[in-house]
Amino acid sequence: KTAVFLFLLFQILGAVILGFGIWILADKTSFIAVLQMSSPSLKTGAYVLIVVGALTMLMGFLGCLGAVNEVRCLLGLYFTCLMIILLAQVAAGLVIYFQKETLKDELSNIVKDLIENYDPLNEDEMRNLQDAWDYVQIQIACCGWIGAKDWENNEILTNKSYTEYPCSCSNRSKDLEEGGDFCNLDDPVNGTATFADWPVHEQGCMDGVEQWLMDNLGVILGVCTGVAVIELLGMILSISLCKNIHSEDYTKVPKS
């Protein structure tokens, strides 16, 4: 009963991973959307999560079948696949840790390029990307990646002498009600405005994202540790069951 419960738990875990991968691809209104629409690596990661989730569910089924019917080859296959997935997770964690500065630079370039080409008149796929970035700036209460100065590289705002500013950056509720696009300065400062004259948040979104990660680091590490512990328990249980089954009996496997 313990074995069957643990293997069923793996099927649930696989469903969660599968759902998370699908959510990354389907999300159109958060920072995840900005990344997955701009970076092929995140899309690839989402597909990997979907495959891993489906494989984990399949392994849970094989584990249940092997435990109930005492089939050593299924338990052995389950152990092998689980070990491969665990090693792959450890390898992915190490790559992310040692490449974090490279990933940070890539993310910075993605966001800065998005800000530079932001155009309220866009109606193509870029519109969804811009809406996602507006959502991020509103939710985190930030402006730009490093700061509001990043928006000085936007050609539209440059041509308007910075008498307009991104509404989603604003620290005024009436601007936030408009959602995205650009808002007009109440006082145009005689055409000599700069980003310092905008009523916007001073914090850049990079600091906000990093703070979010720090605030949720314990939860993220806890989930990763929990998954690893469950996988180790599954490996130990499957190999123990294999040792306790002294001979193969394929007649116990249900016929299709």
Side-chain angles (χ1 to χ4, degrees):
K1 290 182 179 180
T2 302
V4 171
F5 172 77
L6 188 58
F7 294 138
L8 286 175
L9 188 61
F10 264 96
Q11 287 186 292
I12 296 173
L13 177 63
V16 171
I17 296 173
L18 177 65
F20 185 62
I22 294 174
W23 171 70
I24 289 177
L25 292 178
D27 190 313
K28 301 299 180 185
T29 60
S30 72
F31 191 60
I32 294 294
V34 175
L35 296 182
Q36 69 100 351
M37 294 177 70
S38 304
S39 176
S41 59
L42 188 64
K43 275 191 175 181
T44 302
Y47 288 121
V48 169
L49 286 175
I50 291 173
V51 172
V52 169
L55 183 60
T56 303
M57 292 179 67
L58 176 62
M59 285 193 308
F61 173 75
L62 293 178
C64 284
L65 194 62
V68 171
N69 295 285
E70 299 182 356
V71 181
R72 295 180 67 186
C73 65
L74 291 179
L75 291 171
L77 178 62
Y78 175 82
F79 174 85
T80 302
C81 291
L82 201 56
M83 183 174 62
I84 292 173
I85 288 180
L86 182 60
L87 292 175
Q89 289 173 341
V90 172
L94 291 174
V95 169
I96 292 174
Y97 178 78
F98 288 109
Q99 296 293 322
K100 58 184 179 181
E101 291 302 323
T102 301
L103 294 173
K104 184 177 179 179
D105 291 340
E106 179 184 356
L107 178 57
S108 176
N109 291 332
I110 290 171
V111 174
K112 288 181 178 179
D113 183 66
L114 171 61
I115 291 173
E116 184 177 341
N117 295 288
Y118 187 102
D119 183 355
L121 299 180
N122 275 333
E123 295 296 340
D124 53 11
E125 185 179 357
M126 190 69 176
R127 178 74 256 179
N128 293 330
L129 190 58
Q130 292 177 176
D131 288 343
W133 181 244
D134 286 331
Y135 177 84
V136 171
Q137 292 191 136
I138 292 172
Q139 292 300 309
I140 301 181
C142 59
C143 190
W145 185 240
I146 304 298
K149 186 176 176 60
D150 290 338
W151 282 96
E152 285 194 324
N153 297 320
N154 182 274
E155 185 175 351
I156 295 176
L157 294 178
T158 301
N159 292 336
K160 294 186 177 182
S161 301
Y162 308 118
T163 57
E164 293 186 2
Y165 57 93
C167 297
S168 58
C169 279
S170 179
N171 53 24
R172 303 189 300 185
S173 58
K174 68 174 185 177
D175 290 336
L176 296 180
E177 291 175 0
E178 297 185 22
D181 300 342
F182 295 141
C183 293
N184 292 303
L185 278 174
D186 294 333
D187 180 4
V189 201
N190 298 321
T192 60
T194 67
F195 77 94
D197 298 304
W198 296 343
V200 298
H201 298 289
E202 295 182 2
Q203 176 184 243
C205 293
M206 179 182 70
D207 293 334
V209 171
E210 288 182 348
Q211 186 60 48
W212 179 88
L213 288 174
M214 292 301 297
D215 292 342
N216 294 275
L217 185 60
V219 176
I220 295 172
L221 290 177
V223 170
C224 292
T225 302
V227 170
V229 169
I230 293 174
E231 289 172 341
L232 286 173
L233 288 175
M235 292 171 63
I236 294 170
L237 184 57
S238 60
I239 202 67
S240 298
L241 288 172
C242 276
K243 290 181 179 180
N244 290 330
I245 299 173
H246 299 292
S247 61
E248 300 282 7
D249 186 358
Y250 294 102
T251 61
K252 296 182 180 181
V253 179
K255 295 182 180 179
S256 58

